[in-house]
Amino acid sequence: MARPRELPDRARVVIIGGGVGGASIAYHLAKLGERDVVLLERSELTSGSTFHSAGLVGQLRSSVSLTRMMMDSVGLYQTLDCGWVGCGGIRLACTPEREQEVLRQVAWAKTFGLALELISAQQARELFPLMSTDGVRCASYLPSDGYLDPSLLTGALAEGARVGGARIFTHTRVTGIDVDDSVPGHARVRGVQTEWGPIEAEVIVNAGGMFAAEIGRLAGVRVPIVPFAHEYLVTQPFRELVAGEQRAHLPTLRDPDLLIYFREEGGGLVMGGYERHCAPWALDEHLRDAIPSDFNGRLLEEDWPRFEEIAANSRKRVPVMDEITVTRLINGPEAFTPDNEFCLGESEVRGLFVAAGFCAHGLAGAGGIGRVMAEWICEGEPTMDVWEMDIRRFGAHFRSPAYTLKRAREVYETYYDIRYPGHERQAGRPLRTSSAYPWHSEHGAAFGEKSGWERVNWYEANAPAGDESLRPRGWAGMHWSPAIGAEHRATRERAGLFDESSFSKLEIAGPGAAELLQALCDNNVAREVGAITYTQMLNRRGGIECDFTVTRVEEDLFSIVTGTAFGNHDLSWIRRHAPADASVRCYDVTARWACFALWGPRARDILAPLTDDPLDFAYMHMRELAVGDVPVRALRVTFVGELGWELYCPTEYGAGLWRTLWQAGREHDLVAGGYSAIDSLRLEKGYRVWAADITPDETPYEAGLGFCVRKDGGFVGASALGVGAAAELGGDGEAGRAGGPPTPAKRLRCLVLADPRSVALGNEPVRIDGQIVGRVTSGGYGYTVERSIAYAYLPTEVELGAAVEVDIFGEWVTGEVAREPLFDPKGERIR
Ligand SMILES: Cc1cc2nc3c(=O)[nH]c(=O)nc-3n(C[C@H](O)[C@H](O)[C@H](O)COP(=O)(O)OP(=O)(O)OC[C@H]3O[C@@H](n4cnc5c(N)ncnc54)[C@H](O)[C@@H]3O)c2cc1C
């Protein structure tokens, strides 16, 4: 075939998409020394969403990792020829709740060096003289925020990539992705087909913006994004009319309570926002994206009716908007995800990476995204915790375009709303329900949602047995019920029954299963049949990639139980390391098993009469039982620190097993409980939660989980921990560290606060002697120990009993470092 574009036959990395995302990944790959990179763009660079971006670069996001990525972007943009204007950014607070949010953000920012300042309404006006201070209670100000020219930025990144050896081909459409799926469970990319012929590649990066779902389909990979029309207006220049202004540049201004943002544009303004009635765009009759194949360099029709509320709000905040002429209303499509976070990482097809769904902050994010993606591609793993952006967080339920749309719509329309901890999204519910769901509904369950599952947070019917005076102050008391304390106490004093059917359950089977798991787990899981092991799987940095229990069910069959949201992630981590042959099979069996936990001092009294089988098997062991009429796999484990079992049965028996346990428990005052009580119970016992207390950025030693680590090594991450022969030789290709486990610089510590009504929610700064030394990973109230508990990583030298302060909504609450666990330190109640 004629190749007018003279494409190479092969390249190590092919990037699809010449927007800011693709250009930044190419740039960063070149920086890392990756020379063999080809970027393919079906039209001109920037001709997707990038060219019509408003160009604001705000750094403050919902998590440390995300915000750090934005900070990376700013650091990079300051060095590029991209029209960068470091004008600073203001965010107003106009309600008491928003003021609390700002206080919380300002405190949080201090823990990782983001110079976010709290300013008054008057100070905000001095910085942005066009604004009215009506209703403004306070604001935050970030001097390093700014804006830029999206096309210049993309051009600068592309040029940097070219200088580093990348080859960029415009007007080259990718029409196919070749996948080798000859080994089940081990599909991997081989190359792309383009309109000018094929290119072989080891790595393909789908940086297709709103086209990413369509590109993913070429390889059978679901990228759950939805194109939405997004608008902003541009005014005529007028600012020379404003008298007395001192500054060269206006900062950007966000007023989330009015749903609007501003930035200067020449002598005029750009103003946009997030309307309450969003406009998904280019969906077919199945609500699947069907973007016209020639949609490049184009905008959508102005949609004034949809923008009306935003426009009216803008006049309230900046009265001059009433007088000046609007020159253009820009309406352009952009890719949104169902949770408003980026969609990054390697897909289930090995070598096929995705970096898309930038949710209208792709310019702000591109610098950080490019770095993270390039590292991920070159090193095989991201070098920081990016779980909340990881494509693996989307389970199979997001295969449905209709469900994806419902979630994305809700997220878009509530974009600027405060997300209180414990707030539950409503769209698309109920989707996944346990076999005992009807029982929960009939008994007053307050449901939460996780990964599509309806899960009981608490039963409001238990509220009268609780104590309203324990309601935490402020936000922590918003999504709260006295029922939580009642369920907690009942579990400690009598027994609690919890539906944990949503747990992700994986099976690893085959003659190679034990060897694979031993190579991945830091603990020894290849023990006798029936043994249960609590373990982590580590990345090569020694960070905690997965955290779960493994049960050896048969010689060649292991069962893993992990968090509701983590199944997809953990399974793909294991598959990625599994040999590409038939010796090991790894699959998700979540739907096959209901799981009910029966815990508490009377658990044995409740279960014993229901079974002929002896219950004398030891803690951390499994046995097959018949409970009433139901075949059950009973695991003697606990996440609350009480005697008891997790009882797994085939799903079709679930309703019956729940009913049987409930009826048997009546005479023992059994209480049905929810996840909020579990959380309070586990905090008293110091049980860690992955993605909060422990993440890919912390090692088991830092996390206080050194007791899990096999000292003879032989697992991924061992040499980074300094254990095992590999570390001594420094020779398994990992970041070797000889000489045994090092003393970590930080450690997860338990804090108790002096004021029991001040409850930390996570992310609060912790200080000692006036110096910020850490950040809360998770917190809550312990109804047995009657203390407000928080966990935080603190420098190792901080001693037990050290006085600490935790910033809770702008108030420094005193506390101390406590010995953990706070409850039953010898574990006597469990055994
Ligand atoms: C109105 C509006 C205002 C915005 N304002 C801001 C803002 O102020 N700040 C901010 O940070 N972000 C903003 N954004 C978001 C920002 O513009 C996007 O997040 C970003 O540009 C997305 O970049 P991308 O590289 O992912 O996608 P795109 O720029 O869309 O690039 C994807 C590219 O892939 C190409 N492609 C698709 N299919 C193929 C194929 N088969 N073969 C080859 N190439 C293909 C397309 O042609 C396209 O060029 C705004 C967005 C809109 C719509």
Side-chain angles (χ1 to χ4, degrees):
M1 180 184 184
R3 307 194 84 183
R5 284 257 164 293
E6 284 308 319
L7 299 181
D9 293 327
R10 67 170 319 282
R12 195 177 102 74
V13 182
V14 167
I15 300 169
I16 309 170
V20 70
S24 183
I25 295 164
Y27 175 92
H28 283 91
L29 282 170
K31 284 266 166 225
L32 290 182
E34 180 63 68
R35 297 277 165 256
D36 196 7
V37 176
V38 163
L39 186 150
L40 305 175
E41 163 54 49
R42 71 182 201 176
S43 178
E44 297 288 347
L45 294 183
T46 78
S47 64
S49 297
T50 298
F51 82 95
H52 51 63
S53 165
L56 279 80
V57 177
Q59 298 163 87
L60 186 66
R61 305 294 308 174
S62 58
S63 76
V64 176
S65 294
L66 261 169
T67 307
R68 282 212 168 110
M69 282 166 68
M70 307 289 150
M71 292 161 75
D72 277 0
S73 293
V74 168
L76 174 65
Y77 301 164
Q78 286 167 342
T79 69
L80 295 177
D81 183 11
C82 62
W84 173 253
V85 180
C87 56
I90 298 172
R91 196 178 165 92
L92 302 178
C94 301
T95 63
E97 296 77 21
R98 187 73 67 181
E99 186 173 8
Q100 297 273 291
E101 183 187 44
V102 166
L103 288 176
R104 211 172 131 73
Q105 286 167 337
V106 169
W108 172 67
K110 288 184 200 136
T111 65
F112 57 96
L114 182 72
L116 190 69
E117 301 166 17
L118 181 67
I119 59 172
S120 66
Q122 197 45 44
Q123 286 171 308
R125 196 178 132 79
E126 280 159 23
L127 292 164
F128 196 104
L130 300 172
M131 69 170 257
S132 133
T133 55
D134 272 4
V136 179
R137 300 173 69 93
C138 69
S140 65
Y141 176 55
L142 189 50
S144 54
D145 270 0
Y147 65 89
L148 48 65
D149 179 318
S151 296
L152 283 181
L153 172 65
T154 310
L157 290 166
E159 189 46 35
R162 275 194 201 99
V163 168
R167 288 163 292 173
I168 297 179
F169 298 90
T170 55
H171 297 281
T172 304
R173 183 182 299 256
V174 171
T175 54
I177 295 179
D178 299 330
V179 176
D180 175 357
D181 53 5
S182 51
V183 185
H186 291 275
R188 71 165 309 138
V189 289
R190 285 282 168 252
V192 293
Q193 299 290 331
T194 79
E195 56 187 320
W196 308 115
I199 305 178
E200 263 181 53
E202 281 169 47
V203 172
I204 295 171
V205 186
N206 174 357
M210 64 183 161
F211 310 90
E214 171 185 322
I215 294 170
R217 287 195 288 273
L218 298 176
V221 165
R222 169 73 177 146
V223 182
I225 56 168
V226 186
F228 281 87
H230 191 58
E231 291 188 290
Y232 63 87
L233 61 72
V234 186
T235 73
Q236 64 167 178
F238 67 95
R239 277 195 41 237
E240 50 279 16
L241 304 177
V242 179
E245 194 179 319
Q246 302 295 313
R247 290 168 50 92
H249 289 289
L250 288 178
T252 60
L253 179 71
R254 289 179 181 78
D255 186 344
D257 296 307
L258 288 176
L259 315 174
I260 50 173
Y261 64 77
F262 294 87
R263 77 159 170 83
E264 63 183 5
E265 164 85 357
L269 287 173
V270 161
M271 188 281 293
Y274 283 80
E275 61 280 10
R276 289 285 183 202
H277 299 286
C278 65
W281 174 72
L283 303 182
D284 68 13
E285 70 276 21
H286 303 294
L287 303 175
R288 198 170 85 161
D289 53 288
I291 304 169
S293 61
D294 60 350
F295 195 88
N296 278 100
R298 286 164 56 183
L299 290 170
L300 307 174
E301 294 268 301
E302 294 184 354
D303 187 348
W304 276 106
R306 185 160 58 87
F307 203 66
E308 191 41 50
E309 183 187 3
I310 305 266
N313 287 351
S314 76
R315 295 190 284 271
K316 291 184 200 154
R317 185 54 62 215
V318 175
V320 72
M321 291 295 287
D322 237 349
E323 295 154 31
I324 49 182
T325 309
V326 171
T327 40
R328 280 176 304 156
L329 181 64
I330 307 281
N331 189 8
E334 159 72 338
F336 284 82
T337 62
D339 60 6
N340 204 40
E341 305 296 1
F342 304 144
C343 180
L344 308 181
E346 193 172 17
S347 70
E348 67 268 27
V349 174
R350 207 55 207 279
L352 178 58
F353 287 79
V354 178
F358 295 168
C359 309
H361 51 286
L363 266 302
I369 290 169
R371 180 179 66 75
V372 163
M373 292 301 299
E375 289 169 351
W376 206 327
I377 291 163
C378 292
E379 319 219 340
E381 293 166 8
T383 55
M384 64 195 268
D385 172 25
V386 288
W387 165 241
E388 70 262 74
M389 300 161 246
D390 191 322
I391 187 171
R392 290 171 293 184
R393 72 190 184 277
F394 297 119
H397 49 300
F398 283 108
R399 227 173 269 154
S400 157
Y403 181 73
T404 306
L405 173 62
K406 284 180 208 162
R407 304 294 290 192
R409 182 189 280 279
E410 177 175 1
V411 166
Y412 184 105
E413 293 181 346
T414 56
Y415 175 80
Y416 272 136
D417 291 359
I418 298 170
R419 275 216 74 193
Y420 298 105
H423 168 87
E424 299 287 350
R425 298 229 178 257
Q426 296 305 324
R429 296 178 55 184
L431 183 66
R432 306 171 80 184
T433 57
S434 144
S435 42
Y437 176 77
W439 191 98
H440 305 322
S441 301
E442 285 159 20
H443 289 78
F447 288 104
E449 181 266 351
K450 189 154 252 178
S451 286
W453 280 92
E454 292 297 317
R455 309 192 320 166
V456 179
N457 283 340
W458 63 79
Y459 297 86
E460 205 45 51
N462 292 327
D467 182 352
E468 175 58 41
S469 74
L470 296 179
R471 183 180 290 276
R473 247 198 293 285
W475 284 18
M478 293 189 75
H479 296 285
W480 182 89
S481 163
I484 302 166
E487 294 166 13
H488 172 125
R489 285 234 165 80
T491 306
R492 289 263 185 264
E493 291 161 13
R494 307 185 304 275
L497 183 61
F498 300 87
D499 186 345
E500 297 186 324
S501 300
S502 68
F503 272 166
S504 290
K505 301 141 205 134
L506 312 176
E507 281 185 4
I508 315 299
E515 191 183 338
L516 171 67
L517 288 174
Q518 285 295 85
L520 290 178
C521 293
D522 63 353
N523 209 337
N524 177 23
V525 299
R527 294 162 56 212
E528 74 278 12
V529 169
I532 305 169
T533 310
Y534 171 52
T535 187
Q536 293 75 44
M537 287 184 173
L538 311 182
N539 56 37
R540 291 191 307 153
R541 295 177 286 132
I544 300 172
E545 204 61 46
C546 317
D547 175 79
F548 44 52
T549 57
V550 181
T551 304
R552 191 168 205 170
V553 179
E554 297 167 14
E555 197 60 27
D556 288 346
L557 174 62
F558 293 81
S559 159
I560 290 175
V561 178
T562 185
T564 302
F566 309 144
N568 209 23
H569 169 274
D570 294 1
L571 182 63
S572 78
W573 181 260
I574 297 167
R575 277 203 175 134
R576 181 168 210 286
H577 293 88
D581 57 35
S583 65
V584 190
R585 297 181 313 281
C586 315
Y587 34 90
D588 187 320
V589 293
T590 301
R592 224 185 272 169
W593 298 94
C595 169
F596 307 127
L598 176 66
W599 288 314
R602 292 197 202 156
R604 194 185 295 275
D605 301 333
I606 295 169
L607 191 59
L610 294 174
T611 180
D612 280 349
D613 299 294
L615 294 178
D616 57 354
F617 58 105
Y619 179 57
M620 297 304 273
H621 280 76
M622 178 215 84
R623 193 169 284 177
E624 311 271 354
L625 311 173
V627 175
D629 300 337
V630 178
V632 161
R633 194 184 270 179
L635 273 61
R636 250 202 86 189
V637 291
T638 178
F639 197 55
V640 302
E642 296 294 335
L643 168 81
W645 297 265
E646 282 177 1
L647 303 168
Y648 293 78
C649 69
T651 306
E652 67 272 25
Y653 295 97
L657 178 60
W658 180 274
R659 217 174 27 244
T660 301
L661 293 167
W662 175 248
Q663 279 160 5
R666 299 301 291 270
E667 61 177 289
H668 299 279
D669 288 334
L670 173 71
V671 160
Y675 277 89
S676 302
I678 292 180
D679 198 51
S680 159
L681 290 156
R682 70 97 195 166
L683 276 169
E684 292 184 338
K685 284 295 292 180
Y687 296 137
R688 277 64 170 145
V689 170
W690 192 77
D693 305 312
I694 51 180
T695 75
D697 288 344
E698 284 94 27
T699 70
Y701 291 117
E702 291 167 334
L705 299 174
F707 65 89
C708 290
V709 178
R710 250 153 62 208
K711 304 302 175 284
D712 58 349
F715 53 88
V716 173
S719 88
L721 296 188
V723 296
E728 274 147 43
L729 299 171
D732 66 353
E734 299 175 6
R737 238 193 249 151
T743 306
K746 61 175 184 177
R747 260 201 319 229
L748 188 61
R749 305 303 292 268
C750 175
L751 317 179
V752 290
L753 306 187
D755 173 9
R757 296 284 73 69
S758 289
V759 172
L761 297 161
N763 278 330
E764 294 83 355
V766 180
R767 73 178 185 188
I768 293 180
D769 296 334
Q771 292 284 320
I772 292 186
V773 289
R775 179 171 59 241
V776 172
T777 57
S778 67
Y781 182 70
Y783 293 88
T784 304
V785 299
E786 298 182 337
R787 304 300 295 267
S788 170
I789 306 166
Y791 274 80
Y793 285 92
L794 300 183
T796 299
E797 58 275 16
V798 174
E799 294 186 352
L800 279 177
V804 296
E805 291 172 291
V806 178
D807 183 340
I808 298 186
F809 294 106
E811 190 189 323
W812 287 100
V813 179
T814 57
E816 64 171 46
V817 179
R819 187 183 298 281
E820 62 165 327
L822 297 173
F823 179 73
D824 187 25
K826 293 199 178 129
E828 283 158 347
R829 297 171 70 93
I830 299 170
R831 286 162 206 278

